[in-house]
């Protein structure tokens, strides 16, 4: 089967797969407005730092493309100043959808820079709008290529690190959350590394956690691995320690939503636990993320904003009715698994893994490792 796709553009439409309904129902939602794009990102109908950046950029591109083709022409295309007054609030609004994922901020700042540069050069409103449209598409299109490159770099580094003798029968790699095609514009980051090893006959088995509160591991990573025919094992989150104790795990590979200048990394909640256990068992812990995830303006993890999700999300589960029918579109239900009116729910979307627990940070530009005796990274060579 072909890899799953989070975003598709065809026949002049921008659509996303509603990830809240996966794996039992594949429903594509058309994104017609900026408000719908913002809601899709905020409600996690689409998630994954690269994917939400792509959607934000494409939503603006489609919005402006529609305006350029409209008759009569909207007032905001009457002058460069009017266009700027229209576009800048849209970029600010999209940026608020999810605060931790630096890719989203990078995408909106990149589009703002395109606008600013063309305003200074004296272009007319239509030319500026057309350039922003092109830049938005470029932001989405370049994601797949860099994902494949970082996956190759990370996979080759890991094979060299483990050595030919130990990797002869294939590597066992654990991952957290979902970092594959659904979290990006294609191929994936940490799950891309696993896919690369599988494609080259170097993977024995992938292990993945369930990942609270939306179960991105057991719903999405499970589906992607199944679709790609990659041998895998789902881990109950509380069994991660047992995995390291009783299985020959060669590495842990995870994605990132923001990497500070020193290498401290914001990952999906539960990643810090895995990093501590990996360090205890001397297992390489690898962060795989695009250059756009590195935030040089943030010195360390203390400066990374941690998104707090609505408490209700931790109280609910969605799934197909069991045993149900054998239809491909199983009837679904949302169930509350906690007492009603429960108070005191702590539901952060991310935790921060200290640089000293990370063995390597992989981007499309290369692999960074900490120098012996140091607790932070020099990321200048891969940014």
């Amino acid at each position: 089967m072909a890899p799953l796709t989070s975003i598709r553009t065809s026949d002049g439409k921008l659509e996303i797969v509603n990830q809240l309904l996966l794996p039992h129902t594949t429903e594509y939602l058309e994104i017609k407005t900026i408000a719908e794009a913002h809601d899709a990102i905020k409600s996690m109908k689409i998630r994954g730092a690269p994917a939400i950046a792509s959607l934000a950029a494409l939503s603006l591109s489609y919005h402006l493309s529609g305006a350029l083709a409209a008759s009569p022409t909207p007032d905001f295309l009457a002058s460069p100043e009017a266009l700027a007054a229209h576009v800048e609030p849209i970029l600010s609004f999209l940026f608020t959808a999810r605060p931790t994922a630096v890719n989203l901020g990078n995408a909106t700042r990149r589009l703002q820079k395109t606008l600013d540069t063309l305003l200074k050069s004296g272009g007319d409103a239509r030319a500026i709008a057309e350039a922003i449209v092109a830049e938005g598409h470029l932001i989405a299109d370049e994601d797949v290529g860099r994902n494949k490159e970082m996956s190759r770099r990370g996979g080759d580094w890991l094979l060299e690190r483990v050595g030919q003798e130990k990797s002869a029968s294939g590597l066992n790699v654990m991952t957290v959350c979902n970092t594959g095609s659904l979290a990006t514009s294609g191929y994936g980051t940490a799950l891309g590394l696993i896919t690369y090893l599988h494609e080259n006959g170097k993977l024995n088995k992938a292990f993945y956690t369930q990942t609270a509160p939306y179960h991105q591991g057991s719903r999405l990573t499970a589906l992607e691995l199944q679709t790609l025919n990659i041998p895998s094992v789902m881990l109950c989150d509380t069994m991660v320690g047992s995995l390291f104790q009783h299985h020959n795990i060669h590495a842990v590979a995870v994605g990132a939503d923001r990497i500070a200048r020193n290498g401290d990394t914001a990952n999906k909640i539960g990643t810090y636990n895995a990093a501590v256990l990996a360090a205890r068992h001397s297992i390489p812990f690898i962060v795989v993320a695009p250059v756009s995830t590195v935030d040089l303006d943030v010195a360390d993890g203390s400066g990374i904003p941690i998104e707090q999700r609505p408490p209700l999300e931790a109280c609910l589960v969605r799934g197909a009715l069991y045993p149900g029918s054998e239809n491909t579109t199983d009837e679904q239900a949302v169930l509350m698994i906690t007492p009603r009116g429960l108070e005191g729910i702590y539901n952060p979307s991310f935790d921060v893994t200290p640089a000293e627990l990370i063995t390597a940070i992989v981007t499309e530009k290369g692999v960074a490792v900490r120098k012996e005796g140091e607790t932070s990274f020099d990321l200048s060579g891969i940014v």
Side-chain angles (χ1 to χ4, degrees):
M1 296 177 65
L4 300 168
T5 303
S6 59
I7 302 173
R8 69 183 185 188
T9 55
S10 60
D11 300 324
K13 294 193 298 185
L14 172 61
E15 297 176 304
I16 64 167
V17 66
N18 185 351
Q19 296 188 28
L20 296 177
L21 300 182
L22 292 173
H24 304 291
T25 299
T26 302
E27 174 189 86
Y28 277 89
L29 302 173
E30 185 176 0
I31 303 299
K32 299 179 181 179
T33 67
I34 298 296
E36 288 176 349
H38 185 279
D39 175 72
I41 295 169
K42 190 172 184 63
S43 65
M44 295 180 68
K45 293 182 181 72
I46 187 170
R47 26 74 49 209
I52 64 178
S54 294
L55 177 61
L58 287 171
S59 68
L60 179 59
S61 291
Y62 272 73
H63 172 71
L64 292 179
S65 293
L68 288 165
S71 180
T73 302
D75 291 342
F76 65 79
L77 287 176
S79 68
E81 293 75 20
L83 177 63
H86 179 75
V87 169
E88 289 175 349
I90 290 175
L91 292 174
S92 298
F93 177 60
L94 287 169
F95 176 70
T96 65
R98 295 197 70 188
T100 302
V102 71
N103 303 61
L104 177 59
N106 282 339
T108 56
R109 284 191 294 272
R110 181 168 159 182
L111 293 168
Q112 180 69 53
K113 183 178 180 181
T114 299
L115 173 63
D116 292 341
T117 299
L118 292 171
L119 285 172
K120 290 178 182 177
S121 68
D124 64 53
R126 293 189 70 88
I128 295 172
E130 289 168 355
I132 294 173
V133 169
E135 191 70 14
H137 282 281
L138 183 61
I139 288 171
D141 292 343
E142 66 190 15
D143 188 42
V144 177
R146 69 185 182 189
N147 290 343
K148 289 184 176 180
E149 179 62 14
M150 73 180 78
S151 297
R152 180 191 68 79
R153 288 179 181 273
D156 289 348
W157 178 87
L158 178 58
L159 288 168
E160 184 178 353
R161 164 76 181 241
V162 172
Q164 187 172 359
E165 182 178 347
K166 290 184 179 180
S167 64
S169 58
L171 300 182
N172 294 319
V173 182
M174 176 191 151
T175 191
V176 178
C177 191
N178 174 256
T179 56
S181 292
L182 289 171
T184 64
S185 295
Y187 204 76
T189 55
L191 198 58
L193 182 152
I194 289 172
T195 302
Y196 172 80
L197 293 173
H198 172 71
E199 290 173 344
N200 288 276
K202 300 298 185 180
L203 181 76
N204 178 49
K205 197 167 291 184
F207 293 82
Y208 59 97
T209 60
Q210 292 172 304
T211 320
Y214 267 132
H215 305 284
Q216 289 98 327
S218 55
R219 292 190 306 107
L220 306 180
T221 300
L223 179 62
E224 292 202 61
L225 291 169
Q226 186 182 67
T227 300
L228 295 170
N229 295 314
I230 296 178
S232 60
V233 175
M234 184 182 79
L235 304 168
C236 297
D237 286 343
T238 55
M239 296 300 291
V240 173
S242 178
L243 173 75
F244 291 131
Q245 290 175 322
H246 301 297
H247 294 270
N248 183 26
I249 300 299
H250 296 95
V252 178
V254 301
D257 280 71
R258 185 175 299 208
I259 302 173
R261 190 167 64 244
N262 73 334
D264 290 353
T265 299
N267 319 88
K268 180 63 182 176
I269 195 72
T271 310
Y272 174 63
N273 301 13
V276 171
L277 286 164
R280 172 66 176 83
H281 293 274
S282 301
I283 294 170
F285 187 92
I286 308 167
V287 172
V288 186
V291 165
S292 57
T293 305
V294 180
D295 189 347
L296 297 178
D297 293 331
V298 174
D300 55 47
S302 65
I304 298 176
I306 298 301
E307 176 187 359
Q308 298 293 325
R309 298 296 301 174
L312 183 63
E313 288 181 355
C315 304
L316 306 176
V317 293
R318 178 196 294 272
L321 296 178
Y322 182 83
S325 66
E326 295 183 359
N327 296 332
T328 55
T329 55
D330 291 319
E331 182 180 357
Q332 294 197 29
V334 177
L335 304 176
M336 178 170 282
I337 58 173
T338 63
R340 294 186 184 277
L342 187 67
E343 297 181 0
I345 298 171
Y346 181 55
N347 188 21
S349 193
F350 305 94
D351 55 26
V352 174
T353 300
E356 63 189 279
L357 296 177
I358 299 171
T359 312
I361 296 176
V362 181
T363 74
E364 68 271 28
K365 300 294 185 182
V367 180
V369 296
R370 286 182 289 107
K371 293 180 180 179
E372 186 173 354
E374 296 189 358
T375 59
S376 61
F377 283 81
D378 176 5
L379 299 178
S380 60
I382 63 167
V383 175

